[in-house]
Amino acid sequence: MPLHPLVVHFPIALLILAGVIEIVNVFAKKELLNKFGTLLLVLGVISGFVTLATGDGAEHFAESKWGDAVESQIEPHENFADISMIIFSVLTVIKILFRHNIFKFSFLQSKALRGGIMSVLIVLLSLGGIASLAVTGHLGGKIVYENNSNTTVDYSNSSDGDSDE
């Protein structure tokens, strides 16, 4: 069994939550949200790259289980995963450079860059990243569930608590 299904939900949860926090904090302007959003972005991007690294194993597993025809479903999933990681990586770098005083370069400290321009960019990247990640997850789910549609599950032995026995 490939590792991909075990790790894939971490970047989804972390990056979507990070994107929502970033959008909220453009309006709330709370330092705690700023730091928490950045932490979630960093953890989400790291876990996203781990998840990308496990994707090849999942692809080989899927092709061995369902045949080469599944490649037409995997390719768009891979493309959106790459796009998602690029967007969230750029957002993370922007956050570190412009919303935290880690680097003391004068051109990074201008009010225009630290204010409105970056706020708009953060909102746009957050929305784009969340949308791209949602498409990635949807396409990944379709790979699994559409190709497993021939598999039947026997629920006759399951206990639902309404047994007459």
Side-chain angles (χ1 to χ4, degrees):
M1 167 115 163
L3 289 174
H4 192 71
L6 300 174
V7 298
V8 71
H9 297 96
F10 290 104
I12 293 171
L14 291 168
L15 292 172
I16 288 175
L17 182 57
V20 170
I21 286 173
E22 292 304 326
I23 293 166
V24 167
N25 201 41
V26 162
F27 303 102
K29 299 181 186 339
K30 301 289 184 187
E31 187 57 29
L32 181 63
L33 286 178
N34 183 42
K35 289 178 180 175
F36 188 55
T38 302
L39 175 65
L40 289 174
L41 282 169
V42 169
L43 293 174
V45 167
I46 290 169
S47 66
F49 282 115
V50 169
T51 301
L52 282 179
T54 65
D56 285 340
E59 180 176 3
H60 295 304
F61 177 82
E63 288 172 348
S64 70
K65 186 172 181 180
W66 300 309
D68 290 335
V70 76
E71 178 63 32
S72 66
Q73 291 178 301
I74 292 173
E75 188 173 338
H77 173 69
E78 285 179 321
N79 292 339
F80 274 99
D82 290 340
I83 291 167
S84 299
M85 288 309 303
I86 290 167
I87 291 170
F88 279 112
S89 295
V90 168
L91 178 56
T92 303
V93 169
I94 286 171
K95 279 291 306 281
I96 290 170
L97 288 177
F98 294 98
R99 295 287 196 221
H100 299 281
N101 292 322
I102 295 172
F103 303 105
K104 302 289 185 188
F105 302 118
S106 61
F107 71 93
L108 295 178
Q109 303 303 319
S110 77
K111 291 219 184 251
L113 282 179
R114 291 180 56 88
I117 295 171
M118 283 303 120
S119 294
V120 169
L121 192 55
I122 287 170
V123 167
L124 292 176
L125 288 171
S126 295
L127 289 172
I130 290 169
S132 179
L133 200 55
V135 172
T136 303
H138 174 71
L139 293 172
K142 282 180 67 174
I143 292 167
V144 173
Y145 292 106
E146 285 182 3
N147 289 297
N148 272 331
S149 63
N150 294 332
T151 306
T152 58
V153 178
D154 181 10
Y155 292 106
S156 62
N157 293 330
S158 68
S159 175
D160 61 4
D162 293 334
S163 176
D164 291 309
E165 297 175 41

